[in-house]
Amino acid sequence: MDFSTELKFWYRQNARDLPWRHTTDPYKIWLSEIILQQTRVDQGMSYYYKFTENYPTVFDLAQAPETQILRDWQGLGYYSRARNLHTTAKLIVSDWGGKFPTTYSDLLKLKGVGEYTAAAISSICFREAKPVVDGNVYRVLARVFGESTPIDSTSGKKRFRELAESLLDHSEPDVYNQAIMEFGARQCTPRNPNCPICPLAASCVARKEHKIAVLPVKAGKTKITERWMNYLIIRHKDNLYIRQRTANDIWKNLWEFPLLETTTATDPKTLMKSTAWRTLWQEIPFELNHVSTEIKHILSHQKIWIRFYELTIDKAIPKKQRHDWIQIKEEQLEQHGLPIALHKYITKKRISH
Ligand code: SF4
């Protein structure tokens, strides 16, 4: 059996029964693909159900307020995906009459739809012969064919694309693409691939040459930035202060508590003596009720250390000292999309009280 026949055979016996595998509706396939970017299937599943239920059609998604979409997205991270999802939905309604483009090249014109997603949608929904190339595919091809060109180099990307194109099964591009992705996710996994029962074991170069651990090759590792975020949960009667993050940074358009960000690790004593802290409080008397331990929060290229300071004040903060903060009732917090680290802290506090 050749490579693609072997893969399809394996897929038909081993594919997981996933909800998006029962549809060829491009809207639903697109939703599943965006949700599953950088997200595990078991985690993405509930979001897929939530989105297809809350927004059954692209019109529903286009019409929904962004804050509602961000709230439904809460916990998935990479919020730009949710914003792009919304922008694209609106675009499909305004420019395409609510009907998804049916070709790879037209799909590529949509915001947030790259080569991988365009290939997935066009092959699965319209059986266009376009190969998907993502992390799973890189890994399978690198190992089976012993290809050691770095996958993050220009020549590597070209090489793998050519290889993927030459292997694509033109009679069933939909099944083949899903098969290679599933094979990478379930069989030829990054760590501990299941080689003893692999249908490709006999021809797999990495297995023969003991290169499984080093393939695929990556040229450069991305630098991780560290940040320290000190959040002030300020309670005045049953009110809280929050602000919306508007800068082009992580968590754009989500809500947060007043923040003092430092460029190095700062313990509570030092922070409370800092100019930033003193400027913030000026003449306002406050009571410090609790300082949390430092919580580590990892994003793809950032390591964030978060500490919460819980304070109470008797008098509301004067407007001129409030910056862009707004005052809300504590129970209204749920209606605002918060970054997951903040949401978790608040929820945990409520449960422990
Ligand atoms: S033999 Fe092992 S490394 Fe090679 S394709 Fe199969 S699972 Fe992957």
Side-chain angles (χ1 to χ4, degrees), residues 153-329:
S153 65
T154 314
S155 56
K157 284 192 181 120
K158 188 165 170 270
R159 172 76 198 108
F160 278 95
R161 175 149 294 282
E162 285 165 0
L163 189 57
E165 261 160 19
S166 71
L167 295 163
L168 180 69
D169 183 327
H170 286 245
S171 64
E172 288 183 304
D174 48 343
V175 183
Y176 170 82
N177 274 343
Q178 294 186 82
I180 193 164
M181 290 191 278
E182 185 79 343
F183 188 82
R186 308 266 290 165
Q187 175 78 29
C188 193
T189 50
R191 272 179 229 132
N192 305 323
N194 203 350
C195 305
I197 57 154
C198 175
L200 301 172
S203 58
C204 176
V205 176
R207 181 162 158 84
K208 254 188 275 175
E209 298 179 0
H210 305 286
K211 285 187 181 162
I212 292 169
V214 295
L215 288 174
V217 173
K218 257 195 170 179
K221 293 223 156 55
T222 324
K223 196 176 161 283
I224 304 280
T225 328
E226 273 191 280
R227 298 171 77 166
W228 287 265
M229 292 180 159
N230 301 286
Y231 278 114
L232 312 183
I233 305 180
I234 307 168
R235 290 193 171 85
H236 171 237
K237 298 188 178 143
D238 56 349
N239 293 319
L240 286 173
Y241 292 94
I242 55 169
R243 69 177 290 272
Q244 192 165 29
R245 291 179 68 89
T246 49
N248 244 346
D249 188 8
I250 55 166
W251 306 333
K252 190 175 172 194
N253 291 351
L254 295 186
W255 293 83
E256 64 182 0
F257 303 109
L259 166 69
L260 291 178
E261 184 167 349
T262 54
T263 49
T264 51
T266 311
D267 62 70
K269 257 193 190 160
T270 317
L271 184 79
M272 289 167 76
K273 279 190 200 148
S274 70
T275 319
W277 179 282
R278 281 188 277 125
T279 317
L280 190 75
W281 290 107
Q282 293 177 33
E283 302 295 301
I284 307 164
F286 62 85
E287 191 182 332
L288 180 64
N289 310 113
H290 178 71
V291 179
S292 76
T293 51
E294 215 165 33
I295 298 160
K296 184 164 70 173
H297 187 67
I298 305 282
L299 299 173
S300 62
H301 302 138
Q302 300 193 16
K303 191 193 277 179
I304 301 174
W305 299 96
I306 303 175
R307 203 192 288 278
F308 294 93
Y309 292 74
E310 296 193 43
L311 309 115
T312 3
I313 49 174
D314 287 337
K315 268 200 213 149
I317 300 175
K319 265 210 173 110
K320 62 175 183 356
Q321 256 171 276
R322 267 196 228 165
H323 312 273
D324 52 353
W325 311 351
I326 61 160
Q327 216 178 1
I328 57 158
K329 295 271 173 226

